[in-house]
Amino acid sequence: MTLRKDLAIIADWITPQSRILDLGCGEGELLAYLRAEKGVQGYGVEIEEARVVAAIRRGIPVIQQDLDQGLRNFADHSVDTVVLSLTLQASTYPRELLLEMLRVGREVIVTFPNMGHWHARWQLGIRGRMPMTDVLPHTWYDTPNIHLCTIRDFESLCHDNGIAIHQRVVLNERRRETWRNRLLPNLFGEVALYRCALMAR
Amino acid sequence: MPAEIPADSVGLVIPQTVTFSAPLELECGRDLPGYTLTYETYGTLNTQRSNAILLCHALSGDHHAAGYHGMDDRKPGWWEHLLGPGKAMDTERFFFICANFIGSCKGSTGPASINPETGTPWGLDFPMVTVRDWVRTQAELADHLGIAQWAAVVGGSLGGMQVMQWTMDYPERLRHAVVIAAASKLTAQNIAFNEVCRQAIMTDPDFHGGRYYAHATKPRRGLSLARMIGHITYLSDNAMRTKFGRDTRGGKAFSFGFDVDFEVESYLRYQGSSFVEHFDANSYLYITKALDYFDPANAFGGNLAEAFASTQAAFLVISFSSDWRFSPERSREIVQALYTCNRDVSYAEIEAEHGHDSFLMPIPQYVAVLRAYLGRVAEEVGA
């Protein structure tokens, strides 16, 4: 079972035998891997009908729910890790969702497409068009992605809300980690991956 | 009447009965001196006996979940859309059993049966039966049929309550629980509807304290009214608007009287009067009481997660957006409790406009979810 590079990094960050919640789990590929390979007990949360069916067919416990309605049904600290993979930018209340995730889990893993990437900057800054990339393949008028941000934006949100960043990995457009990504992540990173937790008070 | 039986139907089925002669100690504290269950089966039990699925029926349902009893049947069984060869509940892979519960009037022992002590129908002397009692009788049926563990127990509405009770009372005897359009307890509004239905029956002059059998009559008006009320609550506002709107019967002008003007009135009267022909009023009283009493969390100080703590099954919970009698919120409570006690649970909230009755209908997303889940179950049990 091989996972897409960004999912493989998330899988590496998950503790074996832990309990997780995968928000916007899609067809459940990450959870299927984690259940099989790491003995993880996990639930997916997904709104889209066909994906719910696909996850069920995979044998993944999946709860059909709209993330924009919050996570009230999940108790405080009821899981070890809450994962939000390439979904933050599609949520109506990203800040509230992030804080809810930090309430439900000890740790959160968040990944998102970086709008600071040189290709996006090129499209907007030079060509004067809304960016379209392989992680953001939609036209501006037909996109679920309504809250796009850059790596610097996200880190500033964390800073302002008492969220500690424990680890960050930035991947380029070929889903690789290179020295350029490390040196200038906000320019060369196309996908950003974070492990965060609430700062100790 | 089917001119010929459709290829995706289980076809002609013959109900079977089994009588248990040992007294059954009921939750209410009284004993039932033996009882009969009427049931149907569909599909074939495999040699490992691992592919059996129990279906639990709802208030006005019975053991006849699919197929036909004869070539002049007007309608097939109540879950015909979902149950049959190649359907979401696939009789080519699983062996399904559906038993009429006691207290009903469709072949299993109930208030219209003869009380062996008096030689006359029980009437309201029939002991109160509960969801827990039904599950116990179903377990006895499983023993009788040599089924140690169900691949799944599946039910909608009151049937879903039986499924939950199964997971609590016999945790090791089922692998999967499919709880559809159900609730872990009725709301006050829901009990209120049931009470109005019961009052309609019991205040009918032909009720005779439940002994109407001896008077060769039955509380037709009361039972018919109960069914009409029930029917309104099983449909959504939208579904009624779409189906009837304000259409008058035959497009006629208003009569300016109290006879039927609107299509919806005609429909309800028909539903009420036809129900009376095939349902016993006392059974309606007993079954609605069983619904009202169901509340497994009550023994745990209202904590549903604790009630589920002893369960072992994996769950699929399904609700329907327009169901206001057993609303999605009630299903979410079940899911939340199962999440809290670490059970594997999947939840699907189906967009549907038919209200509570949606669980009987072949809504594509509903069918897809059931098919996907039971497909996994089939792989797991080698069906």
Side-chain angles (χ1 to χ4, degrees):
Chain A
M1 206 170 176
T2 52
L3 284 175
R4 226 169 57 205
K5 179 67 180 170
D6 55 321
L7 295 182
I9 292 169
I10 296 174
D12 268 353
W13 286 348
I14 304 274
T15 314
Q17 323 299 332
S18 63
R19 178 166 147 103
I20 77 159
L21 205 53
D22 182 3
L23 306 181
C25 69
E27 301 190 354
E29 49 273 76
L30 176 66
L31 276 170
Y33 176 88
L34 290 171
R35 281 165 71 95
E37 306 293 324
K38 299 189 100 170
V40 162
Q41 200 220 350
Y43 302 84
V45 177
E46 178 58 58
I47 184 70
E48 212 265 308
E49 291 184 340
R51 291 179 183 158
V52 170
V53 172
I56 289 175
R57 193 173 294 128
R58 264 210 171 102
I60 301 303
V62 58
I63 295 169
Q64 189 171 15
Q65 181 170 330
D66 183 358
L67 296 177
D68 288 341
Q69 304 289 321
L71 304 175
R72 266 168 309 179
N73 48 327
F74 303 110
D76 296 5
H77 310 296
S78 55
V79 295
D80 299 299
T81 310
V82 184
V83 177
L84 185 71
S85 161
L86 299 178
T87 302
L88 185 71
Q89 76 285 353
S91 89
T92 309
Y93 312 102
R95 190 182 79 103
E96 286 66 23
L97 180 57
L98 195 56
L99 293 172
E100 272 287 86
M101 290 168 65
L102 287 157
R103 175 185 64 76
V104 173
R106 248 186 331 100
E107 183 178 68
V108 306
I109 295 174
V110 179
T111 74
F112 58 87
N114 172 33
M115 281 301 280
H117 186 245
W118 67 267
H119 192 221
R121 296 188 193 205
W122 163 263
Q123 291 183 62
L124 183 62
I126 305 300
R127 296 193 58 222
R129 301 290 304 268
M130 284 300 283
M132 281 172 68
T133 65
D134 54 340
V135 269
L136 294 168
H138 307 277
T139 52
W140 66 271
Y141 52 84
D142 185 26
T143 178
N145 302 316
I146 51 176
H147 280 120
L148 295 157
C149 70
T150 69
I151 284 174
R152 287 180 70 180
D153 289 331
F154 180 77
E155 293 187 2
S156 137
L157 172 75
C158 291
H159 178 265
D160 294 346
N161 289 277
I163 299 167
I165 294 169
H166 289 171
Q167 205 167 347
R168 180 185 77 189
V169 169
V170 173
L171 302 176
N172 70 8
E173 57 281 5
R174 298 159 86 177
R175 298 287 185 281
R176 292 206 186 117
E177 261 190 284
T178 65
W179 62 270
R180 289 194 307 178
N181 301 347
R182 289 209 187 91
L183 200 63
L184 292 166
N186 202 27
L187 190 59
F188 291 111
E190 195 177 53
V191 175
L193 300 89
Y194 286 87
R195 287 176 88 167
C196 309
L198 280 178
M199 263 174 209
R201 281 164 203 267
Chain B
M1 175 184 356
E4 64 183 298
I5 303 242
D8 64 352
S9 174
V10 295
L12 289 174
V13 283
I14 301 167
Q16 302 170 65
T17 59
V18 55
T19 297
F20 300 94
S21 49
L24 179 72
E25 197 188 316
L26 300 167
E27 194 179 347
C28 67
R30 289 176 60 192
D31 279 0
L32 189 62
Y35 63 97
T36 296
L37 289 184
T38 299
Y39 64 97
E40 288 182 6
T41 71
Y42 322 95
T44 312
L45 187 62
N46 63 12
T47 46
Q48 306 88 340
R49 297 178 171 264
S50 64
N51 70 333
I53 291 184
L54 177 70
L55 304 174
C56 302
H57 70 77
L59 200 172
S60 60
D62 56 26
H63 51 277
H64 186 39
Y68 298 83
H69 286 156
M71 291 309 285
D72 35 307
D73 276 7
R74 208 170 51 80
K75 280 187 188 168
W78 53 272
W79 240 350
E80 179 75 7
H81 292 310
L82 297 165
L83 177 62
K87 290 184 183 167
M89 292 192 269
D90 190 351
T91 51
E92 280 167 351
R93 301 182 87 171
F94 292 107
F95 175 62
F96 293 92
I97 297 172
C98 186
N100 184 215
F101 49 57
I102 56 171
S104 180
C105 51
K106 300 290 190 150
S108 296
T109 303
S113 308
I114 299 298
N115 177 352
E117 275 181 30
T118 63
T120 57
W122 283 93
L124 296 190
D125 290 336
F126 193 75
M128 198 60 81
V129 288
T130 63
V131 170
R132 169 169 261 183
D133 297 327
W134 291 336
V135 165
R136 205 142 142 239
T137 62
Q138 289 159 356
E140 293 205 18
L141 177 63
D143 293 342
H144 167 76
L145 296 170
I147 294 158
Q149 187 187 53
W150 302 105
V153 180
V154 181
S157 188
L158 176 55
M161 291 173 163
Q162 294 162 62
V163 177
M164 286 184 270
Q165 192 72 54
W166 259 99
T167 67
M168 294 168 190
D169 290 355
Y170 302 96
E172 69 297 336
R173 292 196 71 172
L174 69 162
R175 301 181 69 88
H176 293 270
V178 181
V179 179
I180 307 167
S184 68
K185 61 182 175 206
L186 291 193
T187 59
Q189 187 194 45
N190 233 325
I191 295 170
F193 280 123
N194 283 343
E195 174 59 6
V196 173
C197 292
R198 285 190 293 265
Q199 285 301 323
I201 292 167
M202 293 191 293
T203 55
D204 185 316
D206 287 332
F207 183 61
H208 299 288
R211 304 206 165 277
Y212 47 86
Y213 315 105
H215 296 78
T217 181
K218 49 175 147 180
R220 291 174 170 278
R221 285 159 292 183
L223 182 58
S224 160
L225 201 49
R227 182 59 175 172
M228 286 163 82
I229 294 163
H231 223 87
I232 297 167
T233 69
Y234 303 145
L235 290 171
S236 69
D237 183 18
N238 244 338
M240 286 187 111
R241 191 174 328 181
T242 311
K243 195 164 178 180
F244 310 107
R246 290 179 50 85
D247 296 351
T248 54
R249 206 166 165 209
K252 284 190 194 139
F254 291 170
S255 68
F256 294 104
F258 294 101
D259 214 345
V260 167
D261 278 318
F262 295 98
E263 278 290 358
V264 66
E265 295 174 304
S266 156
Y267 172 80
L268 282 178
R269 286 190 192 194
Y270 171 77
Q271 288 295 331
S273 60
S274 69
F275 187 66
V276 169
E277 298 312 317
H278 60 87
F279 211 87
D280 179 53
N282 282 333
S283 285
Y284 205 91
L285 299 179
Y286 278 88
I287 299 167
T288 53
K289 267 291 177 188
L291 266 160
D292 293 358
Y293 287 142
F294 183 72
D295 181 9
N298 192 38
F300 298 89
N303 187 331
L304 186 59
E306 279 183 37
F308 277 125
S310 62
T311 65
Q312 295 175 19
F315 286 76
L316 170 65
V317 179
I318 299 175
S319 73
F320 300 92
S321 59
S322 59
D323 183 353
W324 56 281
R325 189 92 199 244
F326 290 78
S327 72
E329 190 53 39
R330 302 282 82 73
S331 286
R332 283 189 224 118
E333 287 165 3
I334 297 167
V335 173
Q336 187 172 349
L338 291 166
Y339 168 83
T340 303
C341 58
N342 283 335
R343 289 300 94 84
D344 271 5
V345 55
S346 285
Y347 172 58
E349 201 168 301
I350 311 291
E351 281 296 325
E353 61 165 25
H354 302 287
H356 187 52
D357 273 354
S358 298
F359 85 93
L360 299 167
M361 305 196 177
I363 299 159
Q365 176 67 5
Y366 173 35
V367 173
V369 165
L370 257 189
R371 186 185 293 280
Y373 194 85
L374 292 179
R376 284 298 293 200
V377 176
E379 282 165 29
E380 188 186 303
V381 301

